[in-house]
Amino acid sequence: MMNRRQFLLSSTAAAGVAGLAGVPIMAPARAADGFTEIRAMRAKAPLLGRDSPMTDVWSYNGVVPGPVVRAARGETIRVRLINELDDPTTIHWHGIRIDNAMDGVAGLTQEPVKPGDSFDYVFTAPDAGTYWYHSHNKSWEQMARGLYGRLIVEGDAEGFATDHILMIDDWRLGDGGAIDERSMGSMMDWSHGGRLGNWVTVNGTSYPELELTAGAANRLRLVNPSNARIYELEFKGLEAQLIGLDGQVFDRPRPLDGPLVLSPAQRADLMVTTGSEGEAELLALNGSDRVGLAGFRFMRGDGGNGPALLLKPNTLPEPDLDDALGVRLDMQGGAMGMMQGARMGRGDMSGGGMMGSGMMGGGMMGMRDLVQNGFAWAFNGVAGMPDKPLFAAPRGKSVRLTMVNDTRWPHAMHLHGHHFRVYSRNGRPEAQTPWRDTVLTNAGETVEIGFVADNSGKWLIHCHMAEHMAAGMVSWFDVA
Ligand code: C2O
Ligand code: CU
């Protein structure tokens, strides 16, 4: 297995060679009845680069990341998932304020799709922006093997000369570039920072180079489908301004001061510009190390000024904090944590508690027993899915959720079916109170969010570090 130094070395070495254009974007096939077909299937992917051995992956339609699903704001999306794998699977449409029955959560909103079976997803996308989709059955394994893709809802901006989607993933590869399977399900990873990789790809390949237009506004959509890695990204040689987060564009660009932090499942949309032809680079910072992830070449445009940039934010219901249901969520457990024990919830949700759960139902268990059952974390004293929801809200009610990270680890907290505003961290108001669907809560931090529970159904709330979710950081809420 590659060690960390080799990862850094090989990434830097890759930066020197001629850039790869990136894997071809395969247009998804359309069935006669108008459904876009997405096949979950085995494939080989050039993760290490074009002249290196291919990696066996699980894919959508043979490519990693999966095909770009595109729709206009408000349009109905019809996708048929055809499962050609030997394992059951589902697709979750991350960040879409979707009809609950189409949310793709195995064990909560649907049965997993068996090998050889198919499932029709039909939903409207109310908000334009940058989204993604991924397996929501044993995600800790299926996402690590490559089951994710891009979902773009058009209509939130005009005037960009180019538009690039960059999915940044880290893979844990062993000899010959094969996915390290032996470490899957490692309790060491599950109780610490999750499965971290040793090889970073952008759009499924090493160090792609992309063309941007000089003298114009270029759009970059960054997506982090990694199981657990938090990136700190920096741009070298270009001017980048933030135009949106988690699929919600702002009304105007905002300066980027300092590195851009992108936790698992988060997206960041950027406007990048330069006055003249030249080169630039996207870097990841890991402590003091800098790893080149992708290169950009600014090519001369067709001259003159492009059309004026126009951002068209979505309209989301504004929470009423004065008349909100107050809910507290304590995040507990993990290595070096203070948790002594917890009650054990259901372990079969979303692939959690993979060691099986013969011993379900209620009693307090010590840490050792929890770990033996595949759990290491808890929300409000319950590891895994509780029988009762974290909260129930009548439809249209505002919810003010205080999340307290009482662990030694960062967690990327995600709510299904809703976007929320981030109001404060440790009591300090959050600048611009951005709309998000996934928020990073650092060790020891208290983060306050609010949203209108306006989407009926049973919705998951979990840490998007896939191993943390599987090992207990998952609950649900009910909107009547
Ligand atoms: Cu990206 Cu439970 O989801
Ligand atoms: Cu976590």
Side-chain angles (χ1 to χ4, degrees):
M1 170 151 138
M2 271 173 278
N3 62 34
R4 182 172 163 71
R5 188 152 163 268
Q6 283 167 312
F7 153 54
L8 291 171
L9 282 176
S10 26
S11 300
T12 320
V17 304
L20 298 157
V23 291
I25 294 170
M26 193 186 275
R30 224 166 247 245
D33 57 5
F35 274 82
T36 295
E37 293 186 340
I38 293 190
R39 291 167 194 276
M41 60 192 280
R42 286 170 187 266
K44 291 188 185 295
L47 301 185
L48 291 177
R50 199 181 276 156
D51 299 322
S52 302
M54 302 277 265
T55 303
D56 288 309
V57 296
W58 295 4
S59 77
Y60 295 123
N61 291 0
V63 286
V64 172
V68 182
V69 174
R70 267 180 209 278
R73 173 158 38 196
E75 199 186 314
T76 301
I77 297 176
R78 293 187 171 79
V79 172
R80 178 161 300 136
L81 166 64
I82 301 165
N83 186 5
E84 296 180 354
L85 296 167
D86 299 325
D87 291 61
T89 193
T90 63
I91 294 181
H92 167 58
W93 310 93
H94 184 111
I96 302 289
R97 297 189 295 136
I98 201 169
D99 173 13
N100 190 248
M102 296 291 131
D103 200 36
V105 179
L108 184 67
T109 65
Q110 70 171 95
E111 288 302 312
V113 183
K114 293 200 194 75
D117 280 1
S118 72
F119 187 91
D120 288 350
Y121 292 98
V122 181
F123 58 94
T124 51
D127 303 321
T130 304
Y131 302 93
W132 65 298
Y133 59 94
H134 61 83
S135 157
H136 218 301
N137 187 51
K138 287 176 86 174
S139 338
W140 53 273
E141 176 184 7
Q142 299 197 354
M143 292 196 321
R145 291 184 182 278
L147 286 179
Y148 57 80
R150 294 154 284 189
L151 170 59
I152 302 299
V153 184
E154 310 276 8
D156 61 356
E158 284 171 19
F160 282 106
T162 66
D163 189 332
H164 292 281
I165 316 163
L166 307 183
M167 285 193 110
I168 306 165
D169 192 9
D170 68 331
W171 303 76
R172 194 183 289 182
L173 304 180
D175 293 337
I179 289 176
D180 180 345
E181 294 181 325
R182 263 185 318 174
S183 63
M184 272 185 186
S186 144
M187 237 12 236
M188 187 61 135
D189 290 342
W190 288 32
S191 60
H192 289 70
R195 181 182 177 89
L196 296 170
N198 52 15
W199 184 259
V200 180
T201 60
V202 173
N203 293 348
T205 193
S206 174
Y207 204 85
E209 285 197 353
L210 300 122
E211 285 181 8
L212 304 176
T213 304
N218 298 274
R219 184 173 189 165
L220 289 187
R221 307 171 187 256
L222 308 182
V223 186
N224 181 0
S226 308
N227 275 39
R229 187 176 291 275
I230 302 163
Y231 298 94
E232 277 192 82
L233 302 168
E234 198 180 71
F235 294 90
K236 204 175 92 190
L238 57 73
E239 208 184 304
Q241 288 190 283
L242 202 55
I243 59 162
L245 292 169
D246 290 0
Q248 304 294 341
V249 297
F250 312 143
D251 52 3
R252 67 176 65 96
R254 295 174 192 168
L256 250 193
D257 33 9
L260 175 68
V261 176
L262 204 63
S263 85
Q266 288 186 329
R267 286 89 65 215
D269 282 47
L270 295 146
M271 176 182 82
V272 300
T273 51
T274 185
S276 55
E277 291 172 55
E279 282 172 15
E281 217 183 353
L282 175 63
L283 300 165
L285 312 176
N286 288 301
S288 54
D289 301 324
R290 289 158 162 244
V291 185
L293 296 185
F296 305 105
R297 231 193 302 253
F298 281 93
M299 315 297 274
R300 202 203 308 261
D302 45 12
N305 300 315
L309 184 71
L310 180 63
L311 297 179
K312 298 190 277 188
N314 301 304
T315 313
L316 298 167
E318 198 60 53
D320 176 2
L321 292 188
D322 294 330
D323 183 31
L325 177 69
V327 179
R328 181 181 161 117
L329 192 161
D330 285 316
M331 300 141 77
Q332 303 149 327
M336 298 175 288
M338 301 299 286
M339 188 167 87
Q340 303 292 314
R343 282 182 296 123
M344 200 164 73
R346 274 193 289 162
D348 58 347
M349 287 293 168
S350 317
M354 63 147 198
M355 317 294 180
S357 348
M359 308 173 52
M360 271 184 276
M364 193 71 181
M365 290 175 85
M367 266 311 250
R368 182 182 304 250
D369 289 335
L370 285 173
V371 166
Q372 253 157 32
N373 283 277
F375 291 111
W377 307 89
F379 285 162
N380 291 355
V382 182
M385 282 290 273
D387 290 331
K388 286 211 203 87
L390 179 66
F391 61 90
R395 182 155 181 238
K397 181 82 180 167
S398 291
V399 178
R400 180 184 197 135
L401 181 58
T402 306
M403 299 189 286
V404 182
N405 182 345
D406 191 19
T407 79
R408 299 291 186 90
W409 303 88
H411 301 289
M413 296 296 293
H414 170 49
L415 263 68
H416 280 224
H418 299 77
H419 268 72
F420 51 82
R421 274 200 195 278
V422 182
Y423 289 107
S424 72
R425 279 173 200 275
N426 290 334
R428 295 230 314 274
E430 183 88 340
Q432 321 268 11
T433 61
W435 288 109
R436 303 219 69 139
D437 58 50
T438 306
V439 64
L440 187 61
T441 66
N442 288 305
E445 211 169 45
T446 294
V447 175
E448 218 181 356
I449 66 170
F451 63 99
V452 179
D454 63 346
N455 200 354
S456 301
K458 293 178 164 56
W459 302 104
L460 224 52
I461 172 171
H462 63 91
C463 174
H464 217 286
M465 279 127 173
E467 292 71 29
H468 292 176
M469 170 169 68
M473 296 194 110
V474 57
S475 188
W476 60 290
F477 61 98
D478 199 358
V479 182

